Amino acid sequence: MSVTIPYRPALAGLEPYGAPQLDVPVTLNVNENPYPPSAEMIADIAAAVADAAASLNRYPDRDFLALRADLADYLAAESGVRLSPEQVWAANGSNEVMLHILLAFAGPGRTVISFTPTYSMYVEYARDTFSEWQTLPRRDDFSLDLEKLPEELARIRPAVILLASPNNPTGTALTGDELSAVLDAAKGNGPADAPGSDCLVVVDEAYGEFRRDGVPSALELLADHDNLIVSRTMSKAFGAAGLRLGYLGAAKEIVDQLQIVRLPYHLSAVTQAAARAALRHSASQLSQIAALREGRDAIVRRLHSLGLDTAPTDANFVMFGTFPDRSEIFTRVLDRGVLIREVGPAGWLRVSVGTPEENEAFFDALEEAMK
């Protein structure tokens, strides 16, 4: 690196985030919905974008209340929880949603925590907002150690707790009792520079639509906890990863703070139009969820038949293992045209749920690799 450029010391030697993007027949590494949008949805998006293009000389709606109202309607239908548009916020993917949260509530002198193994981007959000980062270990079954949590929060005094449910990379979902226990432990244990405050609890439900029947959404607890944020995305179950639309539900007071740190006009008119058009097809998009759940459970059963362990999963992926040399298995599977993910604790691999044909190709490759 040139010595004349003022690089940030904290970024020296770091590589940008990114899962491998390889040209192979079967890609099961980034937890996408394997089914493309319907022809009707594509046509609706195209028409909506064309309408938006007629006024691209003007800035987009800065507050996008119409989109927020549509997202609130979707959450009411999906989870049974009715929020006002003012309680919903959106950004360019849940990545930017998380960045807004930490910009508004963390930052220099404040700490963000999560529970390992956890989503690998969380530490980067903390780094980019100059926040301190700490982690607490999960138990061997990837559940939270709730007995020690109040003591740990009183010691660390975090501003923000990041919890993925279902968790990435393990797929583990939080029960209603676990969610309540975390929220109770957060009371009064907020950052030292805000005496008497609660920790902000962020539940990242990027894979929330894939949860099993009876597993609650954290949205059900919003009415009773003003320090709770629930994040969602249109990238996974909705099958719109290319749209880049993430959003959250929270108390209006929290959303008001997020508007302070967002960049002006951060959601383009094209994004708003495309997202609203896609939401009009939510019923058809989510009709695929049952098949993907069944595919996930079939993958788990077949992995067990091969003598492999799996982490309990409520997502559209399965973490499986363990292997003495997971890199060797990963490479052998890749050599057979199937891209999975080398992520999580040592010895484990992760595979996304694909179409039946893709799932079969994965097992053909895996069984050959294990020989």
Side-chain angles (χ1 to χ4, degrees):
M1 297 193 307
S2 170
V3 296
T4 62
I5 297 175
Y7 296 101
R8 278 179 56 189
L11 302 183
L14 298 182
E15 297 289 334
Y17 170 85
Q21 291 183 311
L22 304 176
D23 185 14
V24 296
V26 179
T27 55
L28 300 174
N29 67 323
V30 288
N31 309 332
E32 297 161 322
N33 187 325
Y35 298 105
S38 66
E40 293 79 9
M41 178 172 160
I42 293 170
D44 200 354
I45 291 174
V49 169
D51 287 343
S55 57
L56 285 182
N57 59 310
R58 303 296 183 184
Y59 284 111
D61 181 353
R62 185 176 54 234
D63 297 324
F64 52 94
L65 275 171
L67 172 57
R68 290 156 71 185
D70 289 350
L71 290 167
D73 289 342
Y74 168 75
L75 289 176
E78 193 278 331
S79 68
V81 177
R82 167 56 66 181
L83 303 178
S84 70
E86 291 77 16
Q87 289 180 273
V88 177
W89 186 244
N92 292 283
S94 55
N95 306 102
E96 189 178 33
V97 167
M98 291 292 179
L99 195 65
H100 284 174
I101 293 169
L102 297 198
L103 284 169
F105 295 100
R110 289 191 166 191
T111 300
V112 178
I113 71 167
S114 192
F115 302 81
T116 54
T118 191
Y119 182 38
S120 59
M121 276 298 297
Y122 289 162
V123 63
E124 298 196 20
Y125 303 147
R127 179 200 69 198
D128 293 347
T129 57
F130 300 92
S131 308
E132 297 295 325
W133 171 253
Q134 291 195 37
T135 60
L136 299 173
R138 290 174 179 261
R139 291 176 169 151
D140 290 343
D141 64 355
F142 306 120
S143 64
L144 303 183
D145 189 345
L146 296 174
E147 293 180 4
K148 296 181 180 179
L149 187 58
E151 177 184 345
E152 294 285 8
L153 295 187
R155 175 181 64 86
I156 300 171
R157 301 294 298 276
V160 179
I161 301 171
L162 295 177
L163 278 169
S165 180
N167 185 44
N168 183 5
T170 65
T172 317
L174 295 170
T175 66
D177 288 343
E178 286 175 316
L179 288 167
S180 295
V182 173
L183 288 162
D184 288 343
K187 292 185 181 300
N189 283 321
D193 62 359
S197 65
D198 300 337
C199 310
L200 195 65
V201 178
V202 182
V203 180
D204 182 355
E205 292 189 344
Y207 304 95
E209 287 93 340
F210 296 107
R211 66 191 187 278
R212 300 170 193 274
D213 293 339
V215 175
S217 167
L219 289 165
E220 297 174 23
L221 301 175
L222 270 179
D224 298 320
H225 298 278
D226 59 6
N227 64 321
L228 173 62
I229 295 176
V230 184
S231 173
R232 289 287 188 95
T233 180
M234 293 182 71
S235 294
K236 307 300 182 182
F238 214 91
L243 180 60
R244 307 309 302 133
L245 199 291
Y247 59 102
L248 61 78
K252 179 180 180 298
E253 292 76 10
I254 286 177
V255 174
D256 289 344
Q257 288 298 112
L258 300 179
Q259 294 190 62
I260 294 173
V261 300
R262 60 98 184 269
L263 295 175
Y265 311 107
H266 70 289
L267 278 184
S268 74
V270 169
T271 297
Q272 292 180 42
R276 295 194 68 198
L279 285 164
R280 290 194 283 271
H281 298 266
S282 59
S284 63
Q285 287 302 103
L286 296 186
S287 66
Q288 306 159 349
I289 298 302
L292 292 170
R293 286 175 175 169
E294 291 172 5
R296 170 195 65 202
D297 295 341
I299 288 173
V300 169
R301 290 191 297 269
R302 191 159 172 184
L303 288 168
H304 289 171
S305 75
L306 297 177
L308 296 169
D309 292 329
T310 62
T313 178
D314 276 83
N316 68 327
F317 56 83
V318 182
M319 195 175 77
F320 65 98
T322 58
F323 301 98
D325 186 349
R326 70 175 180 182
S327 295
E328 182 179 12
I329 298 295
F330 169 85
T331 301
R332 289 179 179 179
V333 171
L334 180 59
D335 287 343
R336 289 158 176 81
V338 180
L339 178 61
I340 57 176
R341 192 75 181 270
E342 191 174 356
V343 69
W348 294 86
L349 294 167
R350 193 190 71 194
V351 61
S352 309
V353 179
T355 64
E357 295 77 15
E358 289 172 333
N359 296 340
E360 193 62 35
F362 159 67
F363 277 106
D364 288 345
L366 178 64
E367 290 175 25
E368 285 293 321
M370 290 175 63
K371 292 179 182 178

